[in-house]
Amino acid sequence: MAAPAAPLPQAPGPATALEAFHLPRDRGQRLCVLRTPRGAAPRGALLHVPAFGEEMNKSRRMVALQSQALAQAGWAVLQLDLDGCGDSSGDLADAGWDGWVDDVCAAAGWLRERSGHAPVLWGQRTGCLLAAQAADRLGVATDLLFWQPVVNGQTALTQFLRLKAAAVLQDGQGKAVMDGLRSTLAAGGTVEVAGYCLPAAVANGLGRAMLAPPAAANTAARLAWIEVSSRPQATLSPAAEQALGRWRGAGWQAAGQVVEGPGFWQTTEIEDAPALLPATLAALAFTPAPAPAAEGAA
Amino acid sequence: MNVLHEVLNMLDEVLSLGGRAASFTRETALLGAVPELDSMAVVSVIAMLEERFGIAVADDDIDGQTFATVGSLVDFVSDRLSG
């Protein structure tokens, strides 16, 4: 088990402690940041599984704010930079989707030992795909918290690859660029997109990923699904409702909601979604959803 | 669903326009006229369109006209919604 580094100089809050350390892995090490309530045993633990690329960068502030709020409410919260991402060792070009799932499992195991609680896996965007696969690999009932989940990894991969075609989209040359990227990845190569060297081992894993409940036996647990929309009184999309239905069908207690705020993982400027902070805290009570209204009810 | 209204809301949010999109009309020029709409922002807008409207934008769907004006973008979305 990695020894935590000394707390960072800046004050993380009146009642919390912050530790940054490297979690050793089979290859290299992963930067981890742990926030815990000070002077009290944590009431539970969460492991944050980040979004990919620029979505992760744009979300760092909200994730830090949420982690701090959670720690102040008594949770132990571990943030993890995956292999080749953020401040972890290695290059993205040498990483792989399957290795990322293992990173999540390893960090979950570390957090479980450290906190005394089986951690909730808190995924954001494509991190939700990793969290669901990690829950399956862990093979035990693992509660999940999803921020703006990506349901279809292929869509997310396409959206990322489009960054390469961005400069030529208006010339109608997008398809030629996209075809080139896809054939290089299909052949096992690495593509350079917006400064990221994306290897086939990551792209193909992402491209195949569909958000689904773990298939392993006895893994059904509780799922809180939170989306953020700037539209007032926004409701979950039909695709999200269908996805939640699938999780419930697999024996999960699953609840979804939309909070009002900007799509901060995608906005040009770094934006805050303050409503997300209390909503996430409340969602971790995993209160069972009320029974569906009868047909024709208002 | 008022597609124009939804598209303007989405543009304002993705481009961090701070409410400027409220004054846009179908005739408002986008690409080349709205400085926040650079080629990277176009990719973010397409992704948000896909997620907000539940449409899939194919690799050859976008051309020089799609983002020319608010109207051309609204027509693009409406077309995908009915397709």
Side-chain angles (χ1 to χ4, degrees):
Chain A
M1 191 183 353
L8 297 184
Q10 65 268 34
T16 64
L18 184 150
E19 304 166 37
F21 61 95
H22 286 100
L23 184 74
R25 296 285 295 125
D26 295 340
R27 230 171 34 87
Q29 40 196 9
R30 310 293 175 260
L31 180 73
C32 292
V33 173
L34 176 71
R35 285 181 174 82
T36 48
R38 207 190 282 272
R43 59 192 282 196
L46 284 108
L47 169 63
H48 180 66
V49 186
F52 178 68
E54 287 309 297
E55 290 199 351
M56 178 187 75
N57 288 335
K58 294 183 183 198
S59 302
R60 277 203 186 279
R61 178 174 156 74
M62 273 307 300
V63 170
L65 287 173
Q66 185 72 70
S67 297
Q68 184 61 17
L70 287 163
Q72 282 171 326
W75 294 84
V77 185
L78 184 67
Q79 286 176 245
L80 165 73
D81 280 354
L82 300 163
D83 186 19
C85 299
D87 294 315
S88 284
S89 69
D91 297 320
L92 180 62
D94 298 322
W97 181 265
D98 199 69
W100 286 353
V101 177
D102 279 343
D103 279 351
V104 176
C105 292
W110 183 94
L111 182 57
R112 182 182 192 130
E113 243 189 279
R114 169 63 186 263
S115 70
H117 293 276
V120 176
L121 299 185
W122 164 30
Q124 184 194 8
R125 300 290 291 149
T126 52
C128 301
L129 295 165
L130 289 168
Q133 291 185 14
D136 191 35
R137 197 164 291 182
L138 286 169
V140 294
T142 301
D143 289 335
L144 298 170
L145 167 66
F146 289 165
W147 271 10
Q148 203 73 28
V150 169
V151 172
N152 186 334
Q154 184 61 234
T155 306
L157 177 62
T158 298
Q159 290 171 352
F160 180 75
L161 294 178
R162 260 191 215 124
L163 291 167
K164 183 75 168 182
V168 299
L169 276 179
Q170 276 76 253
D171 304 329
Q173 295 306 305
K175 182 160 168 47
V177 172
M178 297 294 281
D179 283 348
L181 295 171
R182 293 189 203 281
S183 65
T184 300
L185 290 169
T190 297
V191 295
E192 188 276 318
V193 176
Y196 292 90
C197 288
L198 180 72
V202 170
N204 296 342
L206 171 61
R208 281 193 293 266
M210 294 288 300
L211 193 64
N218 302 317
T219 54
R222 300 172 300 181
L223 167 62
W225 175 304
I226 310 181
E227 295 191 2
V228 182
S229 172
S230 60
R231 287 174 1 264
Q233 281 101 47
T235 54
L236 290 170
S237 68
E241 291 286 8
Q242 278 169 20
L244 283 165
R246 284 195 295 275
W247 286 75
R248 293 184 188 113
W252 284 69
Q253 180 189 307
Q257 61 176 299
V258 185
V259 301
E260 194 169 339
F264 55 87
W265 58 94
Q266 223 162 43
T267 51
T268 305
E269 310 276 334
I270 305 298
E271 311 240 3
D272 285 349
L276 191 50
L277 301 178
T280 297
L281 275 165
L284 286 170
F286 291 105
T287 308
E295 195 78 25
Chain B
M1 181 205 319
N2 183 325
V3 179
L4 171 63
H5 184 71
E6 294 286 338
V7 168
L8 290 180
N9 279 346
M10 191 266 318
L11 284 172
D12 203 276
E13 177 180 332
V14 173
L15 304 179
S16 301
L17 298 180
R20 267 163 50 210
S23 62
F24 291 1
T25 66
R26 279 188 56 96
E27 286 67 43
T28 305
L30 289 179
L31 211 52
V34 177
E36 291 87 348
L37 190 61
D38 60 16
S39 58
M40 290 306 202
V42 165
V43 173
S44 292
V45 170
I46 297 170
M48 191 67 102
L49 290 175
E50 287 183 308
E51 292 179 24
R52 276 286 167 80
F53 296 104
I55 59 177
V57 176
D59 291 343
D60 55 0
D61 269 350
I62 307 292
D63 64 23
Q65 287 313 298
T66 313
F67 283 83
T69 63
V70 170
S72 62
L73 186 58
V74 168
D75 292 345
F76 174 82
V77 174
S78 299
D79 191 63
R80 291 294 165 297
L81 285 171
S82 62

